[in-house]
Structures are given as C-alpha cells and as structure tokens.
C-alpha cells in the first residue's frame, strides 16, 4: 500500500482504497461493506453515540442492497469506521448520508472526512450534485465534519427543517435538520 492515500485513492477508486498509517496509527482499508460485516458494523454503531442503533437486519440490508453507496473502514481490530448512504428514489442527483461512525480510537484523524471523500470519488457516483444529511442541534462533531467537507469541496451549505422532534414520538429524540451541500462540481470530462 502506498504512503500517499490520495495516490492510492485515484489508483483504485471503486472497491478498495487506503489511508496512511501515519494518520490513524495503523493501516486501514476503505471498501464496500459485505453482508458478513453487518454484525460488526452493528457493534461499531453501538459504541458511537449519539447515533441511533439500528437492528443487525438494517445493516444486512445496507450491505446487501446499498453497498455501492456505503463505506467500511477496516482496521486490524475490526471496523474503524462506517458510512451508510443511499440515493433517494425521487432525487437521483442527491446522495443522502444516513450515518457516519468513526471508532473513538481513531477519531480526529480525518477518517470521517476520508470516507465521505472516497464515496464521492466513486465513478458510479460521478453524477451526484448534492450531498444531504441530517444533524441534531448539538452534534458539533457531525456539523464540523460536514462543514469541513463543504469547505474542501468549495460547495455551498444550506440548512432547513426536516424531521421535527415530535415525529419521533415519545423517544425524546432531537430535531433532525437537513444539511444540503452543493452543487458539487462536475468531474473533468474524459478526453
Ligand atoms: C462525527 C465523526 C464521524 C467524525 O469523525 P472523525 O474521523 O473524528 O472526523 P475528522 O477527523 O474527519 O474531522 C473532520 C472535521 O470535523 C471536525 N471535527 C471532528 N470532530 C469534531 C468535534 N468533536 N467537534 C468539532 N469539530 C469536530 C474536525 O475538526 C475536522 O474539521 P477540519 O478539517 O476543519 O479540522 C465521529 O466523531 C463520530 O463517529 N462521532 C459519533 C457518531 C456521530 O455523531 N456521527 C455523525 C452523525 S451522522
């Protein structure tokens, strides 16, 4: 594996990419999740509050049907990170990011940002013009990560209401506000 993650990223953008050991302290492989990963992804999410812990079946479905829009970051001790995302059926130019999780042993070392960048660099997502996600009012880490992404992509950010807290019943869940990043730049044309 090269020490230059960007070189590796551009060399193999689709199924497997890498991050340098210097950033995370150990080698990490970025790849599409498989159904055999669902249980360990569930274990990672369990350790990443305030994320909602979904059923293992949810992570099976994501790995089986949406792996092309999800990222697993695999380290020597198991999953270090996971991004779930999908293209909403009525918005073909939008990538909706559902959950981003980075294990606390590697937080603050750009893994969250790198997983999102890897996703947007996949050739089959080259048509995506907007990245959308929702954030709670107090999730500074999530807001910081998506702001940094927008800055790096030189894209605008807008915020609007999406899921009001009352829609979550009695669970005490915060509002989830929609963050929209874009328009993203078109990739350079093939010459
Ligand atoms: C949010 C999370 C995924 C960030 O992962 P990470 O790998 O530590 O983030 P990165 O190192 O890539 O940081 C990306 C940017 O976010 C900022 N950031 C990261 N953690 C932050 C924090 N706690 N407070 C404020 N900003 C933060 C970084 O400063 C960086 O911005 P910069 O490039 O301007 O310096 C991780 O903290 C996590 O898993 N949290 C628990 C689950 C969660 O809240 N997920 C997000 C909701 S979907």
């Amino acid at each position: 594996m090269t020490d230059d993650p960007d070189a590796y990223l551009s060399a193999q953008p689709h199924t497997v990419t890498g991050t340098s050991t210097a950033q995370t302290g150990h080698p990490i492989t970025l790849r599409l999740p498989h159904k055999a990963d669902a249980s360990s992804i569930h274990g990672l999410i369990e350790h990443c509050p305030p994320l909602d812990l979904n059923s293992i079946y949810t992570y099976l479905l994501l790995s089986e049907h949406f792996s092309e829009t999800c990222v697993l970051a695999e380290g020597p001790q198991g999953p270090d990170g996971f991004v779930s995302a999908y293209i909403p059926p009525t918005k073909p130019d939008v990538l909706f990011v559902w959950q981003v999780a980075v294990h606390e042993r590697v937080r603050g070392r750009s893994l969250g940002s790198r997983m999102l960048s890897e996703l947007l660099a996949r050739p089959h997502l080259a048509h995506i013009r907007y990245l959308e996600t929702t954030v709670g009012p107090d999730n500074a880490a999530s807001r910081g990560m998506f702001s940094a992404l927008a800055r790096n992509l030189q894209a605008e950010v807008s915020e609007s209401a999406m899921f009001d807290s009352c829609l979550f019943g009695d669970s005490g869940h915060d509002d989830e506000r929609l963050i929209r990043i874009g328009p993203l730049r078109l990739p350079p044309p093939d010459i």
Side-chain angles (χ1 to χ4, degrees), residues 30-44:
L30 302 192
R31 64 168 171 81
L32 311 191
H34 309 304
K35 58 187 173 187
D37 300 312
S39 169
S40 56
I41 291 169
H42 180 268
L44 171 70

Side-chain angles (χ1 to χ4, degrees), residues 50 52 163-176:
D52 289 335
F163 300 130
D164 192 86
S165 60
C166 67
L167 297 170
F168 293 93
D170 303 335
S171 63
H173 201 296
D174 282 327
D175 291 346
E176 288 280 346

